[in-house]
Amino acid sequence: MQARGALQYQRGAAIITALLVVMLAATIATYLLSQQSRALTRTARATERAQVTLYAEPTLNWARAALFASQNNSIYVALTQPWAQPIAAQPLVNPDGGAAVLASGLIHDEAGKFNLNNLVKVDKTASADDIEIFKRLLKNLKLNPDLSDAVVDWIDADNEPRTNGAEDGYYMSLAAPYRTANQPLVQWQELGRVRGFDAATIRRLAPYISALPTRTKININTASTEVITALFPDLSSADMADLVRKRATTPFQNIDGVTEKKPSLQKALSTFDQVADVTSSYFSVSITITGEAAATHQTALLDCTESKKGSWPRIIWVQAQ
């Protein structure tokens, strides 16, 4: 009896062991299949993302062509022109015959914003007039105007901090130390490294600022009311509304057209030709290419300075996001 019981026990243990081995093998197989499926999915997405990215260049060239035509055919730049109209989910031809690829894009006039690099002159000293404009812009946006000092210190050539600024002494004392740039900003996103500019401040300021490689004037045809008010603090709300209303239907074709036949504007905009214009040379392009399971977004800065001479807008930089 004992031998029979022992045999049954051994058989039961063997069956349990076999079941455990089968369960383990099934678990491992399921895991491996899952990992293989994930790997295939990642590969497919990476492949589609690479294919989608290929469409970004021709879409950017569309923007360059639109700006080239605009610069050649007009003496001014305004939001009523074709370049300012966005591309909304335009289908692109897929040579592989797969799912549709959609392209969308938008061009922004960077001269309609405040150029942060204007804060420091060519000789790398602070520009008092532009600092005052920037301070007014910060006030208009309910931000601390003292932030202007930190931006000037970041760009200028000296190592002497302004009253509310910061130079190497401050940045080198941080947990992850670094030095001031002591050169013009390449992109406004660099403000994230400047003292006092947290994420919320940058988000609030971003639509109204640019960082351009040369000194620029504000395009009165494309600038926001916040920027125009910062340029001309004596401009009344009624005159501002009148200016914005007129340019929406009949853009200003020259600087004299902004103030003609309006004495109040002539006084408020007495320094107009020094800080503002109706033309632009720098534009940013935002492009989104969307496939079935992947998408890519790129931003580029274009220089249209030579467009009048027959050259396509030059690409200054392209950033993928």
Side-chain angles (χ1 to χ4, degrees):
M1 294 292 293
Q2 292 181 348
R4 183 180 298 176
L7 181 60
Q8 291 177 344
Y9 174 80
Q10 291 175 358
R11 288 177 177 175
I15 291 172
I16 293 174
T17 300
L19 289 173
L20 289 174
V21 170
V22 171
M23 290 177 60
L24 179 60
T27 301
I28 293 174
T30 301
Y31 174 76
L32 291 176
L33 287 172
S34 174
Q35 290 296 101
Q36 183 182 33
S37 177
R38 291 179 181 177
L40 289 173
T41 300
R42 286 196 297 269
T43 301
R45 288 180 177 175
T47 301
E48 183 176 358
R49 181 174 177 82
Q51 292 175 338
V52 163
T53 301
L54 294 176
Y55 291 100
E57 182 175 352
T59 306
L60 177 58
N61 284 336
W62 160 85
R64 296 173 70 195
L67 288 170
F68 176 74
S70 175
Q71 293 285 309
N72 270 323
N73 297 327
S74 180
I75 59 175
Y76 63 91
V77 172
L79 297 175
T80 56
Q81 295 170 331
W83 66 263
Q85 312 312 310
I87 297 180
Q90 180 72 28
L92 301 176
V93 176
N94 190 335
D96 298 328
V101 177
L102 302 178
S104 58
L106 186 62
I107 302 175
H108 297 276
D109 176 17
E110 293 300 299
K113 307 172 185 179
F114 179 81
N115 181 5
L116 293 171
N117 289 326
N118 281 2
L119 293 170
V120 175
K121 296 182 286 189
V122 177
D123 62 5
K124 295 190 175 182
T125 60
S127 173
D129 291 340
D130 290 290
I131 291 172
E132 289 305 311
I133 293 171
F134 188 44
K135 284 184 175 182
R136 290 194 292 266
L137 176 60
L138 290 167
K139 288 181 180 179
N140 292 345
L141 299 175
K142 311 300 181 186
L143 297 173
N144 185 358
D146 291 338
L147 290 171
S148 59
D149 280 354
V151 183
V152 173
D153 280 339
W154 185 262
I155 300 173
D156 67 15
D158 64 51
N159 200 31
E160 296 295 325
R162 298 171 65 85
T163 303
N164 298 291
E167 289 283 2
D168 284 349
Y170 168 78
Y171 297 108
M172 291 300 292
S173 68
L174 299 177
Y178 53 91
R179 296 185 181 278
T180 52
N182 288 338
Q183 63 182 11
L185 298 166
V186 177
Q187 298 177 320
W188 59 260
Q189 288 88 340
E190 292 177 50
L191 288 179
R193 296 173 61 83
V194 177
R195 180 181 184 179
F197 285 87
D198 56 24
T201 299
I202 294 175
R203 280 196 303 271
R204 178 71 177 123
L205 188 58
Y208 309 98
I209 56 173
S210 61
L212 304 176
T214 59
R215 187 171 187 82
T216 56
K217 296 180 180 181
I218 298 292
N219 183 351
I220 208 76
N221 279 327
T222 61
S224 65
T225 56
E226 290 85 353
V227 172
I228 297 175
T229 302
L231 281 178
F232 308 111
D234 296 329
L235 193 64
S236 69
S237 57
D239 282 337
M240 172 65 75
D242 185 49
L243 186 152
V244 172
R245 183 173 58 255
K246 284 183 177 179
R247 75 177 189 182
T249 55
T250 309
F252 301 107
Q253 299 187 26
N254 53 62
I255 58 175
D256 294 330
V258 181
T259 58
E260 64 184 6
K261 300 179 182 179
K262 188 107 180 199
S264 61
L265 277 178
Q266 291 175 1
K267 180 178 180 180
L269 307 182
S270 58
T271 59
F272 179 82
D273 59 343
Q274 299 175 29
V275 295
D277 208 334
V278 296
T279 62
S280 307
S281 294
Y282 297 98
F283 297 81
S284 62
V285 182
S286 298
I287 297 169
T288 299
I289 310 295
T290 307
E292 185 177 16
T296 185
H297 180 76
Q298 291 187 358
T299 302
L301 180 64
L302 304 179
D303 177 5
C304 298
T305 304
E306 299 297 320
S307 293
K308 293 292 186 184
K309 299 179 181 179
S311 299
W312 264 36
R314 180 173 63 91
I315 300 174
I316 297 178
W317 52 254
V318 177
Q319 181 181 49
Q321 299 175 346

